Amino acid sequence: MPTSPIRLVRFTGRLLLPLAAVATLVVVFLALIALTDGAGSGLAAWLTTLGAGTVLALWRGRHRTWPTRLVPFLPVIVAAALTVTVCIPTVPTARRYPPALPFVSTQHWNLATGSRVAVYHYPPVNPGPRHPVPFVYLHGGPVRGISVQDHRFLLLLSRQGYDVYAYEQAGGGRSDLLTMDQYTISRSVRDLAAFVDRLDKGRVDVLGFSSGGVVLTRALADPGVAPRLHRAIIAEPGPMDGPTAHITGHKGRASARGLAPAPTGPRSTHVPRYAVAFGLMRLGLLTPDTGLIGQAEGDNAFTAADLGSDTASAYCARDAHRIPAEDTAQNFSFSTAASLRIQQTVKDSPSIAPQLRRSLTPAMLMIAECSSQVRQWATAVLANDPAIQRTQYMPGVGHHMWNGLDDNNDRAVAVITAFLQDKPAPLPNYPARDEIPTFLRDRE
């Protein structure tokens, strides 16, 4: 006998009511996670939600006969089972550091700031002239390990006769963690000064890439740090201060974001605990020092695939289907909480433009054609640093300019070494300061 429409509606209603109750309890749980900042690994929110659901179930079942009194508890049990997964770690909660690299030794230096950082040294290997000024690389991130691709690029520079040093900023890669309140852009600048002092080889040439370019820019504006720098190369910088960070607008030509295949490999965001933690942190609903997951656990959980389209945004649209592997799963390291914390201290900082205008350190700015960065982040440095001697607009590359594709690494090396040796630039000096308006208008 066919089911009547009335019976079907009643059945559907009976089914939807428990589902709605489950959804409501889950929403309440997530709201409590945000309100409690994930206290007690999320257990405070879970127990409160479970208690509230139990009280509500008792109230709804108060007039029912004994067997049916248990029915209102079904949504509570289902919601409790779903949400408890957010409270249970699935990776070690003590920091697991990446294994040693097979092609370069890892040293650990204790800096005067209290940071203990992983250091990599590529001594000059060519038989020709060796450059007397040490070369220091500040990687991007912030609070990310140095990728294998970047290590290969540093080896190329050492083959040009440069004595190359790199260190992973505190909290990144094989460097020791800091407490969350110590992750600030000012601390990163002080760590650079302390690293140069620990190196004890006089003034150094520095290449700062992306967030490393921010550290370098702020070091140039700091009269206590700038005298340690011989020459500075600022490549694809992020925002240098709060006013710059709040600029929106022009970007480079089309990147591979949205065009490249989705990254493969495991994702922490497929696990409820880390999907909630990282998602709410990105939305600003959890603090970087959240009680939901500890810094070490978050570092252990986060994978390269979790970066999603961020990696593709560092390449030109034309390279969407040949984006190289930037790193290995064993070497990849990124602290999303510490990174967000440092970025927030940049956003909260006052303008450094008045100090940067007094800079005397010879500098060069590198800008990528397909940059995913806001153009004004780079042009703000150009406009305010009178010691920038040349700007090199790099055609055919995205944010990650040395990426192993075609001759991109060699072209980046040529631009960098020409500046360090005070030789003619391989590319036109573009944009100059008076060309900034035209550059912002035309280079989109």
Side-chain angles (χ1 to χ4, degrees), residues 102-402:
F103 48 82
V104 63
S105 62
T106 306
Q107 305 174 50
H108 284 91
W109 289 7
N110 293 313
L111 305 182
T113 55
S115 299
R116 186 170 186 266
V117 297
V119 180
Y120 309 93
H121 181 207
Y122 290 95
V125 293
N126 73 330
R130 299 192 175 189
H131 304 279
V133 180
F135 181 96
V136 175
Y137 177 59
L138 292 176
H139 62 87
V143 200
R144 182 174 174 174
I146 299 175
S147 69
V148 169
Q149 194 174 94
D150 279 7
H151 278 290
R152 295 192 186 111
F153 181 69
L154 298 178
L155 182 58
L156 285 180
L157 288 167
S158 73
R159 289 172 179 165
Q160 297 291 319
Y162 291 91
D163 193 18
V164 178
Y165 290 85
Y167 68 93
E168 287 170 319
Q169 294 157 35
R174 297 165 185 80
S175 294
D176 285 6
L177 307 181
L178 302 174
T179 58
M180 197 58 65
D181 63 325
Q182 292 181 300
Y183 290 110
T184 67
I185 190 62
S186 297
R187 173 64 172 262
S188 299
V189 173
R190 294 197 303 273
D191 278 352
L192 170 60
F195 179 83
V196 176
D197 291 344
R198 174 69 172 75
L199 185 59
D200 196 25
K201 292 191 175 184
R203 293 194 299 163
V204 299
D205 294 327
V206 182
L207 166 62
F209 166 65
S210 193
S211 63
V214 177
V215 176
L216 180 54
T217 301
R218 294 180 72 97
L220 293 172
D222 188 329
V225 180
R228 295 171 171 83
L229 310 180
H230 178 255
R231 283 182 174 249
I233 302 165
I234 304 164
E236 281 287 286
M240 66 183 185
D241 54 25
T244 311
H246 291 93
I247 292 174
T248 58
H250 305 270
K251 292 188 178 182
R253 300 195 192 279
S255 76
R257 181 187 289 271
L259 301 174
T264 58
R267 294 192 182 202
S268 69
T269 47
H270 289 168
V271 179
R273 178 173 176 82
Y274 306 112
V276 169
F278 295 139
L280 293 182
M281 271 193 271
R282 288 292 296 268
L283 293 172
L285 298 176
L286 286 180
T287 67
D289 203 16
T290 175
L292 183 57
I293 60 170
Q295 179 188 173
E297 182 189 350
D299 292 3
N300 294 338
F302 201 86
T303 68
D306 286 323
L307 293 172
S309 59
D310 284 355
T311 298
S313 70
Y315 292 82
C316 290
R318 67 179 74 98
D319 297 325
H321 295 281
R322 60 168 192 156
I323 293 175
E326 294 191 343
D327 213 345
T328 64
Q330 295 75 23
N331 185 65
F332 178 81
S333 169
F334 182 70
S335 175
T336 183
S339 180
L340 288 171
R341 163 74 180 161
I342 289 180
Q343 291 177 57
Q344 189 61 50
T345 65
V346 174
K347 293 176 183 177
D348 293 340
S349 68
S351 172
I352 64 167
Q355 294 84 3
L356 189 59
R357 292 185 190 117
R358 295 193 287 270
S359 177
L360 300 174
T361 305
M364 177 177 72
L365 181 64
M366 296 175 70
I367 304 175
E369 177 185 8
C370 309
S371 177
S372 56
Q373 307 282 77
V374 174
R375 288 299 198 195
Q376 287 92 329
W377 294 350
T379 57
V381 180
L382 176 60
N384 290 288
D385 185 351
I388 290 181
Q389 297 179 346
R390 63 179 74 169
T391 303
Q392 299 286 268
Y393 176 76
M394 305 291 290
V397 294
H399 179 60
H400 204 157
M401 292 182 283
W402 40 89

Side-chain angles (χ1 to χ4, degrees), residues 38-120:
S41 195
L43 286 173
W46 186 79
L47 290 171
T48 303
T49 304
L50 181 60
T54 301
V55 170
L56 181 61
L58 288 169
W59 182 82
R60 290 185 61 200
R62 69 191 186 282
H63 297 308
R64 299 188 182 197
T65 59
W66 170 242
T68 58
R69 285 184 183 180
L70 298 178
V71 174
F73 286 91
L74 181 60
V76 179
I77 294 170
V78 173
L82 290 174
T83 54
V84 76
T85 58
V86 177
C87 306
I88 302 173
T90 61
V91 300
T93 55
R95 181 72 174 105
R96 292 182 308 183
Y97 292 94
L101 291 165
F103 48 82
V104 63
S105 62
T106 306
Q107 305 174 50
H108 284 91
W109 289 7
N110 293 313
L111 305 182
T113 55
S115 299
R116 186 170 186 266
V117 297
V119 180
Y120 309 93

